[in-house]
Amino acid sequence: MMQQPEAKTISLAKIIVFIYGIISYVIFLAIFLYAISFLCNIIVPKSIDSSPEIPLVKALLINVTLLGIFAVQHSLMARQKFKTWWTKFIFEPMERSTYVLFSSLALLLLFWQWQPMGGIIWNINNLGGRIILLSLFGLGWVIVLISTFLINHFDLFGLRQVYLYLRGKDYTFLEFKTPGLYKYVRHPLYVGWFFAFWMTPRMTVAHLVFAIITTIYILIAIQLEEKDLIKIHGETYENYRREVPMLIPFLAQFK
Ligand SMILES: C[S@@+](CC[C@H](N)C(=O)[O-])C[C@H]1O[C@@H](n2cnc3c(N)ncnc32)[C@H](O)[C@@H]1O
């Protein structure tokens, strides 16, 4: 009889952790949809290419700071050393969901405080050209989504971790795998981001700043991610790195 409350507390903790994971995921999904609208200038009140409201230099400083906050949060919290330290304070099955939640909050701050800067770099009025660019923009988001499922969508967004905990099972690391798109490039998900960030019929200064900084950030992030992947998978990843190009399929010189 005395043990009953303890058993109840444990299962309640599991349910709370699971709900936390679901809430983080739902917030991420909302931010993901918001990001699509923000980048292609539909539905949202302020988008990446809206009219400027403050002087150019001030807007540039704010935008670079917002992108910097996201980059630091997203890269720092993904490093193994940080996770080892962080899980002394935060319950391990919640670690990935917390990463997803913090990433969503950093993006929310970016969308909220973003300063449009005006200045048209290019503006394609031709209908065919617009359709092609918008299709490539959409393709980018589809590639991103497909890539997450090829690796393991539910693990990347923390749902697998909280589900395993709910079922009382230990977490197992994802196996290294190279299905589908991963046979052609090592980072299809990032290729998807490049399409989503660069493919636009109307490129303003703010959009260009966003595309350039995120491109530099992704190229740096790849180096950090591959360091970790080599640590975890050793020769298997070294061989994969030799055989498969980083971002551009069939281009051996860009390995
Ligand atoms: C946001 S995903 C991006 C994956 C990859 N860089 C891409 O662009 O498609 C980052 C996570 O995927 C994992 N990852 C990257 N390549 C992988 C592979 N081939 N198999 C399994 N996990 C992988 C990394 O360890 C990291 O935790």
Side-chain angles (χ1 to χ4, degrees), residues 159-170:
L159 289 176
R160 179 169 167 260
Q161 290 81 338
V162 293
Y163 177 73
L164 286 175
Y165 180 65
L166 184 73
R167 300 295 306 272
K169 293 182 181 166
D170 286 338

Side-chain angles (χ1 to χ4, degrees), residues 48-68:
I48 193 161
D49 302 309
S50 294
S51 303
E53 287 162 8
I54 60 170
L56 187 80
V57 176
K58 198 172 169 194
L60 180 65
L61 283 175
I62 293 175
N63 291 343
V64 170
T65 305
L66 292 168
L67 286 163

